[in-house]
Amino acid sequence: MIAKSIRAASLGAAISVVAALAGAGSAQAAVYRGTWDPGYGGIFPTLGWSASASFDVPTSCLTTDGPKSISGDCAGFSVLSAQLDFYNTASPSTILESFSLNTGVFVNGIVIAGGQLAGINTGFFGAVVPSGDSLSIAGGGNYAFSLILYDNTFAQLVRAKPTTTSPACAALPSTSTDCAYSANAAVGTITPAIPEPQTYALMLAGLGALGWVARRRNRQATTA
């Protein structure tokens, strides 16, 4: 009876490990990362900006290609993180200021191609106002900047002065505001995210546990 209980417990442990690994693998497979990196140009000739974002795509959303709305099979789509970095184009490797953007941005639609996320179209992310080392090349704190992702792989920043102005002003020129899209649009890349080191550690630990369970069961079978 004790041997049977041990075998049952070992089998249960094996099933739990396999389930955990399967869950981690499927979740990771549906995470994508987009990156964009241009110079602003125009009135901010030395301002460079780079944006990155990660997206969680339901696996059911990846089964068919084409443009899709965030509903039905894609209803679980979400923006997991988004970041905007400012740098001086004379020294692009030095980040002057970083901003975490709101992940609740409105998503107009996505594009699936070859069973993978290939494009995303959003409204404007919440505006950010420089207040650190990027001040001198980004308008001295008088401008707000808003990121928008559009035409599947493109991105641009909108500048708006005063800072309380809606970035939608870029489409509605007004004499009372200084508002426009960045001179340079960024063509981005969207790729499956690389698993974090802790994910690999979890998978290795799970494989080790499976090996231990297998050895334990073999010994029990030998002594039974």
Side-chain angles (χ1 to χ4, degrees):
M1 179 66 72
I2 294 177
K4 288 182 179 180
S5 297
I6 293 175
R7 285 195 292 271
S10 298
L11 180 59
I15 292 173
S16 297
V17 170
V18 171
L21 288 174
S26 62
Q28 185 62 45
V31 176
Y32 289 80
R33 184 171 186 266
T35 56
W36 299 265
D37 190 359
Y40 191 94
I43 67 170
F44 302 126
T46 60
L47 174 62
W49 61 275
S50 61
S52 61
S54 58
F55 314 103
D56 190 9
V57 187
T59 53
S60 58
C61 183
L62 302 172
T63 57
T64 57
D65 291 352
K68 299 190 176 187
S69 61
I70 307 304
S71 61
D73 290 340
C74 300
F77 181 94
S78 63
V79 179
L80 298 176
S81 64
Q83 181 171 313
L84 176 65
D85 296 330
F86 282 172
Y87 60 88
N88 191 315
T89 54
S91 183
S93 62
T94 302
I95 302 301
L96 299 177
E97 196 165 4
S98 295
F99 307 91
S100 293
L101 305 181
N102 65 303
T103 57
V105 64
F106 180 75
V107 178
N108 298 309
I110 61 175
V111 174
I112 305 298
Q116 295 190 349
L117 179 66
I120 179 171
N121 302 286
T122 72
F124 291 102
F125 284 80
V128 298
V129 180
S131 61
D133 291 341
S134 65
L135 271 176
S136 62
I137 62 172
N142 295 313
Y143 288 85
F145 294 86
S146 300
L147 174 71
I148 185 171
L149 308 179
Y150 67 100
D151 284 353
N152 304 331
T153 57
F154 285 83
Q156 275 189 295
L157 283 188
V158 166
R159 71 173 188 268
K161 178 184 179 181
T163 58
T164 55
T165 304
S166 167
C169 62
L172 300 169
S174 170
T175 56
S176 63
T177 64
D178 181 354
C179 180
Y181 287 100
S182 52
N184 300 319
V187 181
T189 59
I190 300 176
T191 57
I194 298 174
E196 298 292 337
Q198 55 265 33
T199 301
Y200 284 119
L202 174 63
M203 293 176 67
L204 289 174
L207 291 172
L210 283 175
W212 178 86
V213 170
R215 289 193 298 272
R216 180 73 176 243
R217 293 183 66 188
N218 287 337
R219 286 198 299 270
Q220 291 168 356
T222 301
T223 58

